[in-house]
Amino acid sequence: MTGQVSFDSHARNVLAASVEYVNRLTPGYAGGVEHTAPSDEPEAVAEALTAIGHPPKSVPLDDARRLVRLAGRMRIVFEAANTGDLDTAAAEINALLVDTNARPQLDRGKDRPWSLHFHGPDEQLANGWAAGCAAGLALAVGSDLAGRLGVCAAPQCDRVFVDVSKNGQRRFCSPQCQSRVKAAAHRARQAAT
Ligand SMILES: [Zn+2]
């Protein structure tokens, strides 16, 4: 072991997907500005899917609305894990696993090797992804990676992240928030001299 976070690629993908969903679909603050809930849910879900490399042909409205609701519940997991409240995180994940009907299943695309997925092959878009996200979060919280789910520590930002760095010291959602905080600390030091 090198200390590197080792996840199989599907688990990594679904965790990255849950970060995109929470950050794009839940209201709060992002990088110092207010982030409102999406007014056009299918559009917002399509953008999230495109960001993780799965641009959809179309996203039905009720599917999109369900995913927006589920993203709000995924946020609870990140926020609880971020404060070390793994009991709350685990309870919410267990509820998500039940509600999304998550179940492990080996699938293979044409000419591709078998790989483990957490939903049926013909699942609706929202539920398929949400089941995968719930399973990915379960794998993280049920392992020594529980401390890797985080919420940005910068002021006026509550976007979430999965810390896949070697040292596990990540505190910010983005390089922009990190430099925002650094610049503010620099200004404070200068004002004090
Ligand atoms: Zn941030």
Side-chain angles (χ1 to χ4, degrees):
M1 282 298 289
T2 56
Q4 191 106 32
V5 176
S6 64
F7 260 140
D8 113 298
S9 66
H10 186 60
R12 221 174 20 239
N13 288 345
V14 289
L15 271 175
S18 55
V19 167
E20 285 297 329
Y21 291 142
V22 171
N23 285 347
R24 288 170 182 271
L25 306 179
T26 66
Y29 284 86
V33 294
E34 194 177 356
H35 184 89
T36 52
S39 52
D40 183 339
E41 289 106 333
E43 178 69 27
V45 167
E47 283 171 9
L49 280 162
T50 303
I52 54 172
H54 294 273
K57 286 198 188 75
S58 68
V59 182
L61 181 61
D62 49 345
D63 225 16
R65 289 199 168 144
R66 176 162 159 77
L67 197 49
V68 169
R69 278 197 303 278
L70 290 165
R73 293 173 60 189
M74 292 177 210
R75 168 173 282 286
I76 294 170
V77 174
F78 279 89
E79 288 180 347
N82 186 57
T83 62
D85 181 3
L86 296 183
D87 291 356
T88 298
E92 190 60 47
I93 291 169
N94 279 340
L96 280 167
L97 288 169
V98 171
D99 294 347
T100 61
N101 200 19
R103 61 190 188 282
Q105 175 169 318
L106 285 165
D107 288 322
R108 74 185 299 186
K110 206 168 175 283
D111 300 325
R112 297 177 66 178
W114 289 100
S115 64
L116 187 61
H117 290 249
F118 304 108
H119 55 85
D122 53 0
E123 205 92 58
Q124 274 194 316
L125 182 76
N127 205 65
W129 275 104
C133 290
L137 292 169
L139 285 169
V141 168
S143 71
D144 55 358
L145 300 171
R148 300 298 189 120
L149 305 181
V151 179
C152 187
Q156 291 208 304
C157 187
D158 58 12
R159 300 300 95 180
V160 305
F161 59 85
V162 176
D163 183 357
V164 293
S165 67
K166 260 189 185 176
N167 60 11
Q169 300 293 313
R170 182 169 168 184
R171 294 176 56 223
F172 303 108
C173 70
S174 63
Q176 288 77 12
C177 271
Q178 183 166 21
S179 43
R180 214 155 55 82
V181 168
K182 264 192 191 157
H186 182 69
R187 278 195 303 275
R189 272 197 306 275
Q190 285 200 320
T193 53

